[in-house]
Amino acid sequence: MMTGTGPIHYTGVAKTLHWLIALVIITMLIFGQGFETSEGDDLAFSLTGHSSLGLTVIGLIILRILWRIGHPPPALPETVAGVQLLAAKLSHLLLYALMIYVPVTGLYTAAAHEMPVMAYGAFDLRVTLSFFGADDFEGRRFLHELGTWLLISLLAVHVSAAFLHQFVQKDDVLRRMLPGKAKG
């Protein structure tokens, strides 16, 4: 049983943005692997893909936040209360914060990279973001990697909670965000 009188499913736009952002983040994490061992053209390719997807995530997150402001999420089931409700709200807030923090610190790091970081293959982020300066690459990379690991950890909690709702609590929380036509 859902609380409130609003919709019980997310809108099609919200679902599309959710799954598109998930796909882009997973792809971006793949591009981000192996930076330490890549060189030359392989590193340039990875930096281009990773930075381009980071800029894309920022745009998609802004759209998602704007959409969410005008289209509040559906109410959670009445069984989600107390600490679980607080955890759900806090984890979503932290997810949004980290989905902004990680790409922004990535851009900050790119500004100090020794190689050109060609976003979309069209412009060098080091030039575009030169106002950040180019010092302390390692410190910037640390901030970016820390945020990345926090985001990965929180995403693991998010996915685990979705599966808990679907397969243990059987309360249709996951179904509200699955692609396709809403039922009920």
Side-chain angles (χ1 to χ4, degrees):
M1 180 83 150
M2 300 288 175
T3 60
T5 58
I8 60 171
H9 294 278
Y10 284 87
T11 65
V13 171
K15 290 178 185 184
T16 300
L17 286 169
H18 176 274
W19 293 107
L20 186 57
I21 290 166
L23 178 64
V24 171
I25 287 174
I26 290 166
T27 305
M28 188 171 48
L29 290 170
I30 291 168
F31 271 109
Q33 296 303 307
F35 279 162
E36 313 291 319
T37 58
S38 296
E39 297 176 348
D41 289 344
D42 289 340
L43 180 57
F45 176 77
S46 291
L47 286 172
T48 296
H50 189 72
S51 63
S52 300
L53 292 171
L55 286 170
T56 302
V57 164
I58 290 172
L60 290 171
I61 289 299
I62 290 169
L63 287 174
R64 178 71 178 104
I65 290 169
L66 292 173
W67 184 261
R68 187 171 175 144
I69 289 169
H71 303 84
L76 289 165
E78 292 173 358
T79 56
V80 179
V83 173
Q84 192 179 24
L85 180 61
L86 178 63
K89 290 182 182 218
L90 182 60
S91 67
H92 278 96
L93 180 65
L94 287 172
L95 274 172
Y96 280 101
L98 285 168
M99 287 187 290
I100 292 169
Y101 174 84
V102 171
V104 167
T105 58
L107 294 174
Y108 183 59
T109 304
H113 205 284
E114 63 186 15
M115 286 189 65
V117 181
M118 301 298 295
Y120 304 110
F123 57 95
D124 187 349
L125 286 173
R126 297 174 314 158
V127 175
T128 307
L129 303 173
S130 61
F131 60 88
F132 280 138
D135 59 327
D136 196 22
F137 172 77
E138 292 302 323
R140 294 175 189 211
R141 185 171 72 176
F142 171 78
L143 293 173
H144 182 59
E145 288 179 357
L146 177 64
T148 300
W149 283 110
L150 289 171
L151 178 59
I152 289 169
S153 300
L154 196 52
L155 288 172
V157 169
H158 180 71
V159 170
S160 297
F163 287 153
L164 173 76
H165 281 285
Q166 183 65 26
F167 300 113
V168 176
Q169 294 180 335
K170 299 179 185 201
D171 58 12
D172 289 337
V173 168
L174 174 61
R175 186 167 306 179
R176 302 171 335 143
M177 186 52 85
L178 291 177
K181 185 146 176 76
K183 295 181 178 102

